[in-house]
Amino acid sequence: MLITLQHYLVVSGLLFSVGLAGVIMRRNLIVVYMCLEMMLAAAALALAVFSRYNQNMDGQVLVFFVITVAAAEVAVGLAIIVSLFRLCRTVQTKDLTHLKF
Amino acid sequence: MNLFMPIALLQHGAMQQLPWWKMPECWWLTMGVLLLLADIFGKNISHRIIPRISLWGLCVAWIVAVFAPRGAESFFGAGYIYDGTAYFFKAFFVSATLAVVWMMLADEQERSEGRSEYFILPWFAMSGMGFLSSANDFLTMFVSLELVTITFYILVSYHRVRRDSLEAGAKYLVLGALSTGFMVYGIAFVFGLTGTLDFGKVSIFIATHDIQSGVAFGILLILVGVAFKVGAAPFHWWVPDVYQGAPTPITAYLSVASKAAGFAILIRLLMSPFYAIWTQDVAGLMVLAAVASILIGNLGALAQRDVKRLMGYSSVSHAGFLLMGLVAATDFGLKALYFYLVVYALATLLVLGLVCVLARSLGGTEMRHFSGLAKRNPYLAWMMLIGMVSLAGLPPTGGFFAKWQIFAAAWEAGRHHLVLFAIFGAVVSLYYYLAIVRKMFFASADDEKETVPVRVDPVYFALLSLLTVGTVVTGLAPSLVIKCIQKLAF
């Protein structure tokens, strides 16, 4: 069987959906964050595949930037989550209810 | 000059290529890095000096950004262009950053843990926003947008000993990253089906082909990502929480500069890649988002007791009004949008600046803390009154003309129902903007401690006076301000 553009896009769509579902349903900030990374990975996969399909490298260059940005985001994000844990002893989203009117 | 010409048709070859030193962002980034290094190596003196260097550096950057010579130029092939829109937004971002750092300086003076990153990070955010306003392909747009967003994650959660600040940071982080995910996925689809990341080439593709569902899906996701950044409903959930929890100068920075950055991308997307489908398809979405933002922002604000949270909801409704300027997709609409941005920035910085300076002496940012302020410091109370009146859109201030222009632009585009709805929204907003004025002037303070006069640092008072004068001038001489905008942006 030949693996075509569609197959890759289905995988990428599945990854994106699983990530989105995780962000909406999971209750642990770390897991939510992992799901967000999964969404970025799905986008990176789609970019790489489309780049191959279009026979130009622009998309693959963008993938490198996506990976770099994701790494920077993780560095900052985990720092915030760790500080939050130090202060409140929790990383559950249900406990983040301090801000409301 | 008609701005709405797909940029590719202007022929990039004819545009002058810019040497790197002519890009202001390169200097801003260099300044940020140098200040960070100075912070590492100059341990003992840096805490006191860096905030001042940062402020004076911003003054220089402001002069350069406003008075720089101009002409259409490009850089990075065609990934970065330096045209009127870029000029206007760069001047806007530098002014906003200057005001915010000024505000931080007053806010931090009394804090014991003086850390200087607080004054350095705005340089990076400002560079990101500057690049964003010049972006001419999806790559530049994505990377500069992330530079802004990641810097803001740090700034929002900066007071990490306060639970509010960290919680706001965590919420901003999750929702900001979510919007990034949507945007990258959208970019992937637009790239995949048009075969290019360049705004000009995408615009030609969209103008000459029928829109496939894949491209439409990509465009929709990109717009969702941008809607997050401007805080427009239905993607506004993060706004109230983050605005309330962030340090007050950062709240002001978010509501002025970060929102304007979102509109800078929207204008770029409108002017080039999505121009062909804007008036039929995208404008409809904009109308929906504008109606939802005005409705949710105003209804949400009615019930608020905390002024920062109220400003959050108010900024959602202002995002709705600003979107109305884009619905028309004409030069007139854009001019109205720019004018509204300037007026909104002045009034928001004024109100949040007052909240920032008063929070400590009044004991909090809730509405009840402001009761009887007119007796304790009439100048500040009157400044707050002017800011609130401008946000509400009443005559002697700039807010009135800004709303007038935006409504006229949308009316001209045939969106009569939208204008009527927006007028209704503006009337509702009077209630909550004037509620705080009523507290300040007519409610009496409950206990005797609250009759002590409030004092303000003169440096800080100067900033507030400047913003007040700006708000009044935009109201009394709007044509002058519009002329300046015209000169900068068109």
Side-chain angles (χ1 to χ4, degrees):
Chain A
M1 189 185 81
L2 197 68
I3 299 180
T4 61
L5 175 69
Q6 275 74 23
H7 294 93
Y8 283 108
L9 287 186
V10 168
V11 172
S12 151
L14 278 175
L15 260 181
F16 191 81
S17 320
V18 170
L20 185 59
V23 171
I24 294 168
M25 296 195 298
R26 298 307 290 260
R27 292 282 168 258
N28 184 312
L29 263 185
I30 304 268
V31 180
V32 167
Y33 214 59
M34 284 157 64
C35 292
L36 286 167
E37 291 306 310
M38 209 193 292
M39 289 170 69
L40 282 181
L45 176 63
L47 273 168
V49 174
F50 275 129
S51 187
R52 175 99 179 147
Y53 169 75
N54 284 323
Q55 298 290 313
N56 85 31
M57 296 297 284
D58 290 2
Q60 296 187 22
V61 172
L62 183 52
V63 169
F64 278 106
F65 282 98
V66 172
I67 293 170
T68 316
V69 161
E73 213 165 44
V74 167
V76 171
L78 287 182
I80 291 175
I81 295 173
V82 167
S83 315
L84 188 72
F85 182 73
R86 278 198 189 145
L87 195 70
C88 315
R89 290 287 162 212
T90 175
V91 287
Q92 301 295 316
T93 45
K94 69 175 162 48
D95 299 325
L96 298 182
T97 51
H98 207 241
L99 293 171
K100 59 183 175 211
F101 73 95
Chain B
M1 172 194 160
N2 185 14
L3 279 177
F4 297 102
M5 197 191 304
I7 301 284
L9 304 181
L10 293 173
Q11 285 190 321
H12 282 304
M15 268 188 168
Q16 208 185 330
Q17 291 283 313
L18 214 60
W20 70 268
W21 52 267
K22 285 183 92 176
M23 297 160 78
E25 293 84 1
C26 288
W27 293 104
W28 300 346
L29 279 176
T30 312
M31 183 74 181
V33 173
L34 285 180
L35 284 175
L36 276 181
L37 287 175
D39 186 37
I40 296 170
F41 293 113
K43 262 288 167 246
N44 300 322
I45 48 164
S46 57
H47 296 329
R48 269 168 293 143
I49 290 182
I50 283 181
R52 272 153 228 285
I53 298 179
S54 180
L55 187 65
W56 287 113
L58 278 165
C59 291
V60 174
W62 186 83
I63 292 169
V64 174
V66 173
F67 299 105
R70 38 168 310 187
E73 286 161 322
S74 66
F75 192 73
F76 290 153
Y80 175 102
I81 53 168
Y82 203 168
D83 57 357
T85 311
Y87 267 98
F88 170 78
F89 275 107
K90 283 185 221 292
F92 183 91
F93 294 139
V94 179
S95 317
T97 311
L98 178 61
V100 166
V101 169
W102 200 335
M103 213 185 273
M104 286 172 170
L105 207 61
D107 190 37
E108 285 293 285
Q109 256 168 10
E110 299 164 40
R111 232 174 271 275
S112 52
E113 14 94 61
R115 273 172 311 203
S116 31
E117 292 94 341
Y118 198 40
F119 299 90
I120 302 172
L121 288 170
W123 284 91
F124 291 98
M126 184 169 86
S127 316
M129 293 188 278
F131 275 124
L132 200 58
S133 62
S134 284
N136 196 36
D137 65 15
F138 284 112
L139 189 99
T140 318
M141 181 187 109
F142 169 70
V143 176
S144 45
L145 187 65
E146 285 311 295
L147 179 55
V148 181
T149 314
I150 293 178
T151 315
F152 267 112
Y153 295 153
I154 308 174
L155 285 173
V156 167
S157 44
Y158 197 79
H159 288 167
R160 57 178 184 184
V161 287
R162 277 181 42 224
R163 183 167 180 166
D164 286 0
S165 184
L166 272 181
E167 200 178 303
K171 285 178 179 170
Y172 191 42
L173 176 75
V174 169
L175 293 173
L178 186 66
S179 81
T180 305
F182 278 122
M183 185 175 271
V184 184
Y185 207 59
I187 292 174
F189 271 81
V190 170
F191 165 72
L193 299 170
T194 62
T196 174
L197 288 170
D198 184 80
F199 278 3
K201 290 181 188 145
V202 172
S203 84
I204 292 177
F205 183 93
I206 289 181
T208 51
H209 292 67
D210 284 334
I211 295 298
Q212 300 154 284
S213 53
V215 181
F217 176 65
I219 291 173
L220 194 68
L221 286 185
I222 291 175
L223 289 176
V224 166
V226 180
F228 262 105
K229 302 294 173 203
V230 302
F235 308 102
H236 66 283
W237 326 294
W238 60 277
V239 174
D241 280 353
V242 173
Y243 279 35
Q244 187 188 355
T248 314
I250 303 305
T251 306
Y253 204 21
L254 266 178
S255 65
V256 173
S258 176
K259 194 178 289 281
F263 277 97
I265 320 176
L266 269 179
I267 290 169
R268 283 273 168 228
L269 292 175
L270 158 67
M271 273 164 54
S272 189
F274 301 164
Y275 178 61
I277 49 162
W278 194 275
T279 36
Q280 330 132 26
D281 304 329
V282 182
L285 295 176
M286 293 286 146
V287 171
L288 285 182
V291 167
S293 305
I294 292 171
L295 188 71
I296 291 172
N298 284 320
L299 291 185
L302 284 178
Q304 299 309 318
R305 290 192 296 267
D306 186 285
V307 178
K308 279 165 82 178
R309 201 175 171 86
L310 184 146
M311 288 303 287
Y313 276 107
S314 135
S315 96
V316 172
S317 81
H318 282 288
F321 289 121
L322 284 160
L323 283 174
M324 288 173 66
L326 281 177
V327 167
T330 56
D331 274 7
F332 180 46
L334 265 193
K335 226 175 285 173
L337 172 63
Y338 289 157
F339 184 65
Y340 199 107
L341 266 179
V342 170
V343 168
Y344 166 75
L346 286 168
T348 308
L349 285 170
L350 177 58
V351 168
L352 285 171
L354 281 162
V355 172
C356 173
V357 74
L358 289 172
R360 206 162 293 120
S361 40
L362 296 186
T365 58
E366 282 185 30
M367 272 222 206
R368 63 186 166 84
H369 292 119
F370 286 81
S371 43
L373 181 66
K375 290 200 190 67
R376 303 176 64 185
N377 191 332
Y379 298 112
L380 297 186
W382 278 98
M383 283 174 174
M384 183 70 107
L385 170 73
I386 290 172
M388 285 298 179
V389 163
S390 184
L391 284 175
L394 290 179
T397 54
F400 175 71
F401 289 96
K403 282 212 170 66
W404 179 266
Q405 295 250 318
I406 280 263
F407 290 171
W411 187 273
E412 231 172 45
R415 306 282 177 177
H416 300 174
H417 291 98
L418 176 61
V419 174
L420 292 177
F421 183 79
I423 291 173
F424 164 72
V427 171
V428 172
S429 77
L430 281 179
Y431 172 79
Y432 59 84
Y433 286 129
L434 296 184
I436 184 166
V437 172
R438 192 174 58 84
K439 279 257 190 255
M440 286 188 311
F441 283 89
F442 302 116
S444 56
D446 331 316
D447 63 67
E448 81 286 353
K449 173 190 138 257
E450 297 185 353
T451 50
V452 189
V454 178
R455 272 183 223 296
V456 184
D457 190 37
V459 181
Y460 200 66
F461 196 77
L463 169 69
L464 294 173
S465 313
L466 265 180
L467 292 168
T468 313
V469 169
T471 307
V472 174
V473 165
T474 48
L476 295 180
S479 55
L480 188 78
V481 181
I482 290 176
K483 216 173 279 171
C484 291
I485 290 172
Q486 175 114 18
K487 210 171 152 216
L488 269 180
F490 290 88

